[in-house]
Amino acid sequence: EKGETMCATSVGPIDSAEPESAGRGRNAAIRMARGYDATMHVVSVVPDMGMSIVGGYFPKGFEQKALDDTKIRLKAFLEDTVSADVKVKGHVVHGAIYQQILQIADTLEADLIVMASHRPAMRDYLLGPNAARGVRHARQSVLVVRE
């Protein structure tokens, strides 16, 4: 059955800590979108600063500047890395990473969430990375692309 929408996620347009896994996740999402004639929605999440005391150490307007910069980088990233035959839309959201991913997937009525993930370390099993939380809590199917 042809899907109407899918949701590919990324933490920032490219996670500089895991550039290869970001590429693998993007490539898998492109193949799925192309194969199912789906729209690929790429989500960049700008994490919130947590407690207000943390925000006090940043200059006024820092969060808005981070959102604006991320929108510019995401647009350029999509133009540079997604071919014209794939329908793609970029979204920049702000907040807790896995919660924002799940929320936008629900809002878009996505059929599938594609997430890149590094190989889990023991601490990931205890704390749960964003990909693991996404898998546990998503209403949609989740494809986790690893190394």
Side-chain angles (χ1 to χ4, degrees):
E1 180 178 327
K2 286 200 177 229
E4 302 226 351
T5 305
M6 66 183 302
C7 183
T9 64
S10 66
V11 181
I14 300 173
D15 184 346
S16 57
E18 296 287 334
E20 292 86 18
S21 66
R24 284 187 302 277
R26 180 198 66 236
N27 292 341
I30 288 170
R31 285 192 304 273
M32 297 289 287
R34 191 178 280 134
Y36 286 95
D37 192 28
T39 300
M40 182 173 81
H41 293 269
V42 179
V43 181
S44 281
V45 181
V46 176
D48 61 21
M49 290 188 227
M51 300 182 330
S52 60
I53 192 169
V54 174
Y57 289 97
F58 290 91
K60 186 175 181 172
F62 175 81
E63 284 180 303
Q64 188 58 52
K65 181 174 179 355
L67 289 166
D68 293 343
D69 289 350
T70 301
K71 287 176 187 174
I72 292 167
R73 289 190 346 254
L74 179 59
K75 184 176 187 288
F77 173 76
L78 295 175
E79 289 171 355
D80 291 345
T81 61
V82 179
S83 62
D85 67 318
V86 175
K87 294 177 281 189
V88 64
K89 293 182 182 177
H91 306 270
V92 175
V93 294
H94 179 247
I97 295 168
Y98 88 95
Q99 290 173 337
Q100 291 300 314
I101 289 167
L102 298 180
Q103 182 178 342
I104 200 161
D106 287 344
T107 299
L108 294 169
E109 298 181 359
D111 300 310
L112 174 68
I113 299 171
V114 178
M115 300 179 80
S117 179
H118 56 80
R119 292 211 181 272
M122 184 51 101
R123 71 178 181 279
D124 292 332
Y125 288 111
L126 301 174
L127 298 175
N130 290 302
R133 288 182 182 143
V135 169
R136 282 195 306 268
H137 299 290
R139 293 185 182 130
Q140 301 79 0
S141 295
V142 179
L143 172 62
V144 178
V145 181
R146 295 187 185 258
E147 296 176 21

